[in-house]
Amino acid sequence: GVAAELDKISAMEAQISLALEEIGAKEQEAIDSFQKQGGDLKLAIAKLEAARGQVEAKVSPQLLDVYNRTAARSGVAIGVLDGNRCGACRTVIDGGRLIDLRNQAPLGMCPSCKRLLVIA
């Protein structure tokens, strides 16, 4: 009767309590993992920003200005001349434009997308 039903309810409450504890432990593991990954990412970002600062110190202010404006406009500011194509927009650069661009080595500008191009 009633005692048997109460025992079933008590057993069910114990199962629910155990499940809630397991869920809480898994949630805490996920939080800890997320915080560690976030800390690792912040450290990596700080290192990259420091390295970027060292590179920026070696670049002319005019070139840095072109780079920053191009990055703000299109996200990717620099590509590599790949044969006769811009490595960023993949546009074919033909004839005289390609000759002019190669004469600007080691750094030119894509006539199509206006990104900086490293010319080997």
Side-chain angles (χ1 to χ4, degrees):
V2 173
E5 289 298 316
L6 286 175
D7 286 345
K8 285 181 186 177
I9 291 171
S10 291
M12 198 175 288
E13 284 178 339
Q15 286 178 339
I16 291 170
S17 179
L18 184 62
L20 288 173
E21 285 178 28
E22 289 176 7
I23 290 170
K26 286 181 181 177
E27 180 183 32
Q28 190 59 51
E29 282 178 31
I31 290 170
D32 293 345
S33 173
F34 180 77
Q35 288 173 339
K36 182 188 180 316
Q37 289 175 2
D40 290 348
L41 286 172
K42 285 181 182 177
L43 183 62
I45 289 168
K47 286 180 180 178
L48 289 170
E49 286 175 345
R52 177 188 172 121
Q54 292 173 352
V55 171
E56 284 180 347
K58 298 175 185 175
V59 175
S60 76
Q62 297 84 357
L63 182 58
L64 191 56
D65 182 55
V66 170
Y67 176 88
N68 288 329
R69 282 187 285 120
T70 306
R73 182 181 73 241
S74 61
V76 175
I78 195 163
V80 175
L81 182 64
D82 183 12
N84 65 345
R85 291 182 181 269
C86 170
C89 73
R90 306 302 302 155
T91 300
V92 173
I93 304 165
D94 57 358
R97 285 184 164 181
L98 185 60
I99 292 167
D100 290 344
L101 189 58
R102 287 202 171 127
N103 287 333
Q104 297 172 27
L107 191 64
M109 185 176 287
C110 173
S112 179
C113 69
K114 307 297 184 223
R115 289 181 176 103
L116 295 167
L117 277 179
V118 175
I119 304 159

